[in-house]
Amino acid sequence: MTPHQVLAVAALGGFAAIVSLLVFAFLAVAVYAAVARLFEIREARREQHRDLKTCRAIHALGTFDRQGPK
């Protein structure tokens, strides 16, 4: 191989390495964002479930009006 060919192969290898590292970093950030979003959704559902349980407990207590308990 001539020195120009060696240089071209080395440049292509370096370019491929940089591109693959960028793709890997992008995928890592995307996976992290997806997992973080899943945890946020999970926590929101837990909070909603707690609120629903509280509302049901308050509703089960019954209410009083002027004539007495319902």
Side-chain angles (χ1 to χ4, degrees):
M1 290 179 71
T2 66
H4 292 308
Q5 290 173 333
V6 172
L7 183 61
V9 169
L12 286 174
F15 181 71
I18 290 172
V19 169
S20 64
L21 286 174
L22 289 174
V23 168
F24 177 76
F26 176 74
L27 288 176
V29 169
V31 168
Y32 176 79
V35 170
R37 179 71 179 134
L38 287 175
F39 276 111
E40 288 174 8
I41 291 170
R42 180 176 167 226
E43 187 59 34
R45 288 187 55 90
R46 280 187 176 179
E47 183 74 25
Q48 187 179 27
H49 184 70
R50 276 192 294 251
D51 290 346
L52 183 60
K53 284 175 66 176
T54 302
C55 289
R56 285 183 179 162
I58 291 170
H59 182 70
L61 291 174
T63 59
F64 291 92
D65 61 4
R66 294 186 182 155
Q67 285 93 22
K70 284 188 175 181

